Amino acid sequence: MSEDRDFEDLVAEGAAVPVQGWDFSWLRGRASEERPPWGYARLVADRMARADTALDIDTGGGEVLAEVPRPPRRLLATEAWPPNVEVARRTLRPLGATVLWVAEDAALPLRDAALDLVVSRHPVHTPWDEIARVLRPGGTYLSQQIRGGTVRELSEALLGPLPPPTRQLPEQAVAAARAAGLTVIDLREATLRTVFHDIAAVVYFLRKVVWTVPGFTVERYRPQLARLHARMAAEGPFVAHARRFLIEAIKPA
């Protein structure tokens, strides 16, 4: 098979895989990413076991929340992307969770001081004022967030050199939490080696993690993908670095 045919087949394969939910199991054997050292799922499980009412914001397909072994009495989840809502409802049905469609930047459909715990993994937007409003005094917000500049190497492979990130920075999250009246009790950062073994994995990742290259389509970026494919054929797997931070805040009693 020619290199051109191999490229076309791989791109077509990566473009055909459904991207609903937040399950990356299709990438197994084709891409890998180091896990943050703090163990977000374990931390969520610990906080959930001690809560009576809890909410997961931007639950995706509910994959992370589904790992909770001891859910609280009342468990809610929100998701902004409609295709994910039905996926999350199926995934979280065994936990008795209620999944709500809530548009980005919309108010949370909950009364004041309704929750002991709010969590969110990789939220698109963190509604700090809303989180502070729905938490009870002494309640907790725990979140693993994507730091600005994540997998920058991959973004620049398609877009060219980029300026330093100015959004989604840990210090901005701390300032926003404090402005909403919350007290930050934990902040940690991690840089995680991320490896792509073929161009199909790159295409699938860019379709799913849409902020890496905004407006990505195979047709629009075919020349850049072809150059990256040739680079990987000559040099081996493409290495980038994901950047994450963990933030935990409480509402003063």
Side-chain angles (χ1 to χ4, degrees), residues 234-251:
E235 302 176 5
F238 182 81
V239 178
H241 295 87
R243 305 190 71 182
R244 305 283 184 265
F245 67 91
L246 181 83
I247 185 167
E248 186 169 16
I250 60 172
K251 184 174 181 175

Side-chain angles (χ1 to χ4, degrees), residues 55-59 77-78 108 118-121 123 125 127 131 141:
L55 167 69
D56 183 25
I57 295 176
D58 285 354
T59 196
T78 66
L108 295 172
V118 178
V119 300
S120 90
R121 180 179 181 268
H125 163 72
I131 290 166
Y141 175 61

Side-chain angles (χ1 to χ4, degrees), residues 115-166:
L115 303 171
D116 302 306
L117 174 67
V118 178
V119 300
S120 90
R121 180 179 181 268
H122 304 170
V124 176
H125 163 72
T126 303
W128 289 104
D129 289 338
E130 281 293 283
I131 290 166
R133 180 182 66 79
V134 300
L135 279 175
R136 293 170 180 157
T140 297
Y141 175 61
L142 175 71
S143 179
Q144 178 176 297
Q145 306 223 352
I146 297 173
R147 191 191 191 282
T150 191
V151 290
R152 182 186 183 90
E153 300 92 338
L154 181 57
S155 300
E156 292 191 331
L158 273 71
L159 297 171
L162 297 171
T166 58

Side-chain angles (χ1 to χ4, degrees), residues 28 31 65 105 124 139 175 186 241 247:
R28 191 172 295 120
L65 195 58
D105 300 328
V124 176
D186 195 5
H241 295 87
I247 185 167

